[in-house]
Amino acid sequence: MNIDLIRKETAGCSDKIFLNNAGSSLMPEIVVNTMVDYIKQEEQFGGYIIMNKNQEIISQFYEETAKLLNGKPSNMAFATSATDAYAKALSSIPFKEGDCIITTIDDYISNHIAFISLQKRFHIEVIRVKNLSDHEIDLEDLEALIKKHHPKLIAVTHIPTNSGLIQNVEGVGAICKKYDILYLVDACQSVGQLKVDVQKIGCDFLTATGRKFMRGPRGTGFLYVSDKVLEQKLVPLFLDMRGANWTAFDDYEIFQTARRFEHWEISYSSLRGLTEAVKYANTIGLDQIEDYNRKLAETLRTGLHTKGYKVLDEGKHLASIVTFCNKDNEIENIQKVFSQSKVYFSISNKSSALIDFTHKNINAAIRLSPHYFNTLEEIETVVDLL
C-alpha cells in the first residue's frame, strides 16, 4: 500500500489523528467528488433522467460489492444502513409463536432490541449461546441448543461494536449448514477492515454499512442474500415495485435477485459514493488492509498495556477496534487529553453493550479504531500522550 498517496487522497487526516473508523470514517476524495458530480447532474436534468442515463454505472455497485464479499451481483442489495438491511432480512423470515432465535451475548445493541421486539410481538424465544473462557463462542453449547430448541434463525455479530473480538463466524456457519438453519451475520464492523468471504462463512444473510471501515457516505449499506434464500422466495415484509411485478388485482410476482430487498426510491448519489468506496478498498486489496490494520491495532494494544491501561478486548483473534480505560475504570481524563490533542475517538457505553460491560464490571470505555490511512507514528503519538 502507498500510505502517502492514501493520506493525500484523504483530506480529513491531515490536521488530526483520526481513530474513529468504527463510528464513521473519513471518505476518500473520489467518493465525495463522485457524489457531488452526480448531484450536479441531477441539479441540471432531474433525478429520473440521470438515473436512466447512468444505469451501466449504477450496476457497478452490485459488481463491486459482490467482488468484495466473494458473492455474485444477483446476491447483493443496496440499503440505507446496516440496520435497514438487518431489518429487511429479519422481516423476510416467517416467524410464528414458539419459534426460536439463537444469538450471542456480544451481538449489537440494535440487533438485541430487534430480537426483543420480535419476542414481544410474536412470542418467540431468544436464547444466547455461552462464551468460552477465552471469550470465543462455545460451539458445543451452540450445537446442544440447536438440538434442544430447533431454532428458525442463528444470528451473530462478526465484530461487536464495543470490542475488538472477531467471532468465529465460519465455525457457526458450518453448524448452521449441518442443521440447515438460516444464518444471519452482522458484518457492520468487519467489512472494509478485513477480508470477509460469504462462501467461507456460509451465511444466508450478511449486512454491512458504508460509513464505517468501508469509508463510504452515511445513509448507505448493503445486504448479501444467499441463493438458498432467493430460491425459498423469502421477501421482506413490505415489498414495493423494486421487488415485484404487480401481475393481477390481488397478486404480484417477486423478482429473482436480491434487489427485491431494496425499495424503489434510492439516493443514487449515495449509492454511487458507496460504489467508489468499495472499489477503492477492492483496488488496494482487503488482504493488505487487514494485515496493516492488525499491525496498527497490535501496536496500540501493546502500548496501552505498557502504559498501565486496562485493555478490554478479549478473544483469540482481535480486530482494529481497541477498547480500554484506566485501572480504576475512569475515562474522563483520557477524554480530556484526546480532545485537547485533536485525537478523534469515541466512547462505548454500557447501554450499547449491556451484557458484555456488565460482565466486565465497567460503565464505559474509550474506543480507538485505527484504519489503513493511519500511520504507526500516529499510534506512537497517541501512546505517548497517554
Side-chain angles (χ1 to χ4, degrees):
M1 291 192 300
N2 187 337
I3 302 299
D4 290 337
L5 177 59
I6 291 169
R7 289 178 66 82
K8 183 179 179 181
E9 294 172 343
T10 306
C13 71
S14 62
D15 62 344
K16 65 183 75 70
I17 299 179
F18 190 90
L19 298 173
N20 191 18
N21 296 284
S24 187
S25 188
L26 301 178
M27 293 181 285
E29 288 180 345
I30 185 65
V31 173
V32 178
N33 293 340
T34 297
M35 294 176 68
V36 171
D37 176 68
Y38 195 93
I39 291 172
K40 286 291 185 182
Q41 292 182 61
E42 289 186 328
E43 178 186 32
Q44 291 294 321
F45 304 104
Y48 280 16
I49 289 175
I50 298 307
M51 175 189 70
N52 292 330
K53 180 182 177 182
N54 285 279
Q55 281 302 306
E56 187 174 338
I57 296 175
I58 287 168
S59 69
Q60 291 178 6
F61 165 78
Y62 304 96
E63 296 161 7
E64 289 293 335
T65 50
K67 180 180 177 182
L68 180 77
L69 298 181
N70 192 24
K72 296 180 295 186
S74 60
N75 297 126
M76 307 308 303
F78 178 77
T80 58
S81 67
T83 303
D84 173 43
Y86 205 87
K88 286 175 178 174
L90 279 179
S91 78
S92 74
I93 302 169
F95 290 108
K96 61 182 185 299
E97 186 171 345
D99 283 340
C100 170
I101 294 175
I102 294 178
T103 187
T104 73
I105 65 172
D106 300 293
D107 243 54
Y108 182 52
I109 171 177
S110 293
N111 302 349
H112 279 296
I113 290 172
F115 302 149
I116 295 167
S117 176
L118 288 169
Q119 187 177 48
K120 290 177 179 291
R121 177 165 295 193
F122 295 110
H123 305 288
I124 67 171
E125 192 172 8
V126 179
I127 296 171
R128 299 179 180 97
V129 66
K130 295 177 183 176
N131 278 358
L132 298 169
S133 59
D134 61 6
H135 220 65
E136 297 286 325
I137 294 173
D138 188 334
L139 296 181
E140 288 186 7
D141 182 53
L142 174 62
E143 195 157 6
L145 290 173
I146 289 171
K147 291 176 181 178
K148 181 178 180 181
H149 297 282
H150 308 288
K152 182 157 283 188
L153 175 71
I154 292 176
V156 177
T157 294
H158 196 180
I159 300 175
T161 186
N162 54 283
S163 166
L165 171 69
I166 303 176
Q167 302 270 35
N168 183 7
V169 290
E170 293 182 16
V172 174
I175 293 174
C176 290
K177 182 177 181 181
K178 177 180 177 181
Y179 292 95
D180 193 25
I181 301 167
L182 288 173
Y183 181 28
L184 169 58
V185 174
D186 179 344
C188 192
Q189 295 287 13
S190 57
V191 168
Q193 73 149 306
L194 50 85
K195 191 170 183 179
V196 177
D197 187 327
V198 292
Q199 305 306 323
K200 290 182 178 179
I201 294 172
C203 54
D204 295 295
F205 299 100
L206 183 140
T207 61
T209 186
R211 77 177 192 271
K212 297 181 185 291
F213 290 95
M214 204 66 260
R215 301 186 64 199
R218 295 200 72 174
T220 64
F222 52 93
L223 170 67
Y224 162 83
V225 182
S226 71
D227 287 339
K228 181 176 96 173
V229 168
L230 296 177
E231 290 163 5
Q232 290 180 358
K233 299 188 182 301
L234 295 185
V235 295
L237 180 59
F238 295 108
L239 283 162
D240 72 2
M241 62 185 185
R242 185 77 163 185
N245 275 325
W246 192 15
T247 55
F249 286 3
D250 295 307
D251 202 4
Y252 57 76
E253 182 179 339
I254 60 172
F255 296 140
Q256 298 306 306
T257 72
R259 295 193 203 189
R260 67 186 185 224
F261 284 80
E262 297 179 350
H263 284 150
W264 188 84
E265 181 55 32
I266 286 175
S267 168
Y268 283 98
S269 63
S270 298
L271 181 146
R272 287 289 297 120
L274 179 57
T275 303
E276 289 302 322
V278 176
K279 188 185 297 184
Y280 195 89
N282 281 339
T283 300
I284 295 171
L286 269 298
D287 286 331
Q288 289 198 74
I289 291 172
E290 180 176 351
D291 288 344
Y292 185 70
N293 281 357
R294 185 183 299 111
K295 187 182 298 183
L296 291 172
E298 287 176 353
T299 302
L300 179 55
R301 287 193 182 93
T302 299
L304 291 170
H305 281 299
T306 301
K307 297 295 183 182
Y309 288 89
K310 185 190 292 186
V311 179
L312 302 167
D313 310 311
E314 299 173 348
K316 292 179 182 177
H317 306 286
L318 299 177
S320 200
I321 296 179
V322 180
T323 55
F324 69 101
C325 56
N326 277 332
K327 287 293 186 182
D328 59 0
N329 297 342
E330 184 268 339
I331 65 169
E332 290 182 4
N333 287 333
I334 304 171
Q335 287 179 255
K336 183 178 179 181
V337 169
F338 280 172
S339 297
Q340 291 174 343
S341 306
K342 298 185 75 173
V343 175
Y344 282 56
F345 65 101
S346 58
I347 298 169
S348 285
N349 290 302
K350 188 175 182 179
S351 59
S352 296
L354 189 60
I355 299 173
D356 185 44
F357 277 19
T358 298
H359 289 171
K360 291 175 179 176
N361 195 30
I362 58 170
N363 292 316
I366 299 291
R367 184 181 71 179
L368 299 180
S369 45
H371 206 11
Y372 63 90
F373 57 74
N374 291 120
T375 65
L376 287 169
E377 289 75 19
E378 287 181 317
I379 301 301
E380 292 166 2
T381 297
V382 168
V383 173
D384 288 341
L385 283 169
L386 290 168

